[in-house]
Amino acid sequence: MNALRALVWDVDGTLAETERDGHRVAFNRAFADAGLPWHWDVPTYGELLKVTGGKERLLHWWRRVDPAAAAGADAGAVVRRLHERKTAHYVALVEAGGVALRPGVRCLLDEAHAQRIVLAIATTTSAANVDALLRTTLGEAAARRFAVVGAGDVVAAKKPAPDVYRWVLDRLGLPPDACLAIEDSAAGVAAAQGAGLAVVLTRGLYTRDEPVADVLADLDGLDGVDLATLQHWFARRRAPAD
Ligand code: XBP
Ligand code: MG
């Protein structure tokens, strides 16, 4: 079996706790801008996270609260506009320092870079969000360490579909058994495993109780986890044929 060549990171919930105080707040600001009487409180947003992707989540909500309007000919355009506002609010919030990396993440990124382990991203969130988060939390130079960023609409089928991981592996030119995915959610784990990657799970605010199976480690965070530990877990993974 291959040695570990690349770490493929999820973003939301994994690199940073972006959802509750980042994306959720940005959605609510976009609703207020548009004069909509919608507000996603913390538990409601937790339920809505079952739908991955912001535009998909918006449409799902709209169909629930006003199915007739959500079936209108211009519904797709309305969702796109609303989501553009949401992205602008999210980027502003991140650039103002509203979101920090989770404990342990920066150390692991630095260690991997120093040991020439390739860094990549496979996420459902929009590319503008990833860009703002990496530049603000890591700085310009460290943000450029990610060799491949698979984000948002680069694939049509979002997590739990494996497509974004396959997209990233294609561009890395690496087989799945040389890469380790780091994910926070059941949908993310399913996506990575569907593409043949072993996974370390770092549960977050919204994913503490999600049922997840067959991960190399099931953690509440990455604080104190070093690269040698990841490599040790990775070496003990089962081959797909086992
Ligand atoms: C994250 C998501 C994203 C964000 C919002 O899932 O589902 O949709 O909530 O981002 P994962 P956008 O961590 O598994 O990638 O609004 O830009 O879609
Ligand atoms: Mg996630």
Side-chain angles (χ1 to χ4, degrees), residues 132-144:
L133 184 74
L134 296 182
R135 280 189 296 98
T136 308
T137 57
L138 292 169
E140 296 286 348
R144 284 196 294 271

Side-chain angles (χ1 to χ4, degrees), residues 40 43-53 57 60-61 64:
W40 291 348
T44 302
Y45 191 66
E47 280 171 44
L48 292 170
L49 280 175
K50 291 191 178 72
V51 180
T52 60
R57 192 169 301 138
H60 168 85
W61 169 261
R64 192 204 286 183

Side-chain angles (χ1 to χ4, degrees), residues 8-20:
V8 186
W9 293 80
D10 171 50
V11 174
D12 297 304
T14 300
L15 285 179
E17 281 289 9
T18 54
E19 297 289 9
R20 187 188 64 187

